[in-house]
Amino acid sequence: MEHTPIACSHHDHNHCISDALEAARQLCVGRGVRLTDLRLQVLELIWQNHKPLGAYTLMEMLAKANTRRVAPPTVYRALDFLLEQGLIHRINVLNAFIGCPSPTTKHQSHFLICRACGIAIELDQPQLSQQIIGVAQDAGFQVESQSLEVSGLCANCAGNTEHDGHGHE
Amino acid sequence: MEHTPIACSHHDHNHCISDALEAARQLCVGRGVRLTDLRLQVLELIWQNHKPLGAYTLMEMLAKANTRRVAPPTVYRALDFLLEQGLIHRINVLNAFIGCPSPTTKHQSHFLICRACGIAIELDQPQLSQQIIGVAQDAGFQVESQSLEVSGLCANCAGNTEHDGHGHE
DNA sequence: TCAGCTATGTTACTCTATAACCTTTCATCT
DNA sequence: AGATGAAAGGTTATAGAGTAACATAGCTGA
Ligand SMILES: [Zn+2]
Ligand SMILES: [Zn+2]
Ligand SMILES: [Zn+2]
Ligand SMILES: [Zn+2]
């Protein structure tokens, strides 16, 4: 149930993609929603990148992969679906999207975002969510969703401060 | 083209604005930075609204108030200055800006945002900031800034939606 | 005064996202 | 199989948010 942070550049990423896609397929079957070719392709591209990906970058990738023009509404509709199903998260501070490693478990959007390499590490800290809910309740506020975006330097980049070409692309 | 009036009329908002502006003046004098007419005007408009305000809404207000055209870079530069000095915060989820009630104290951007009335309540929870830093450190992450944006219903709006059947459009 | 810096004005542009409308695809019912 | 209605995707146009690049004005300190 714990998802390993993705800061390490030496994990089997192909495996990690295929796992996520298979999980997404099963999740959609279970919910009776349609993971169409387009939606699957968008999810795959997002996972391949392993970093938050902008909608327009995604559009270019789709256009290249499909040899057809892909207009903004097309990709935004796919993104909306994936967001609704919890298969991806939106990183507001970057206007970008990233795959969720545990879409079956309901949780909030808590990320560590490295300003040097651009990686986004999803946190799995239910007690942090709970503390936030508590603080909100003290103010009479009824929480519906949380977005925590912590910016700074990841372990890799904090170590390599002499040069930033640490190659996590 | 119309800007919505102030949400909460139950506190002395004029006093609240003038306090904030006076604090800003002193803060800028103390730091040796220039709170120009434009910057002050932008800060005042943001405080008058008491809700997160988009840059383009602000532009329209400035244009009306000054009877002159105000282009995007003008307002964005003023906003950048105010952000740097900690006089306002940016609400990422809304692409909007709101005044900070305690600009002299260094702190993170933690907000409760009501989806019904649009109000944004700034939290003052240093121990929450600390816990977030702790969680990040456990992942070897070096925190530079935090953005916590909690969406839901404020105390006012949560109360008013309990009997929601009468269809008050 | 002059030079140099900071702030603002101006034009044009990029990036992000959505509205409105039409066509295709797909599951379901007859 | 054929009809049908809803969901998904295609297309065009536009709205909304933010920045680059360069010109001008205005303050500041020799
Ligand atoms: Zn997640
Ligand atoms: Zn990094
Ligand atoms: Zn503040
Ligand atoms: Zn409210």
Side-chain angles (χ1 to χ4, degrees), chain B residues 82-99:
Chain B
L82 297 172
L83 284 170
E84 276 166 22
Q85 300 303 324
L87 292 166
I88 61 173
H89 295 282
R90 184 174 199 280
I91 308 289
N92 291 315
V93 79
L94 299 176
N95 292 337
F97 304 85
I98 192 166

Side-chain angles (χ1 to χ4, degrees), chain A residues 89 100 107 122:
Chain A
H89 295 283
C100 174
H107 60 278
E122 181 162 1

Side-chain angles (χ1 to χ4, degrees), chain B residues 68-90:
Chain B
R68 69 174 169 189
R69 190 174 163 257
V70 181
T74 301
V75 68
Y76 277 104
R77 280 186 293 229
L79 290 170
D80 286 345
F81 171 84
L82 297 172
L83 284 170
E84 276 166 22
Q85 300 303 324
L87 292 166
I88 61 173
H89 295 282
R90 184 174 199 280

Side-chain angles (χ1 to χ4, degrees), chain A residues 141, chain B residues 113-119 152-158:
Chain A
F141 192 93
Chain B
I113 301 157
C114 179
R115 68 163 161 80
C117 69
I119 207 171
L153 291 176
C154 75
N156 255 329
C157 297

Side-chain angles (χ1 to χ4, degrees), chain A residues 114-119 152-158 166 168, chain B residues 141:
Chain A
C114 179
R115 68 164 161 80
C117 69
I119 206 171
L153 290 176
C154 75
N156 253 329
C157 297
H166 53 77
H168 192 100
Chain B
F141 192 94

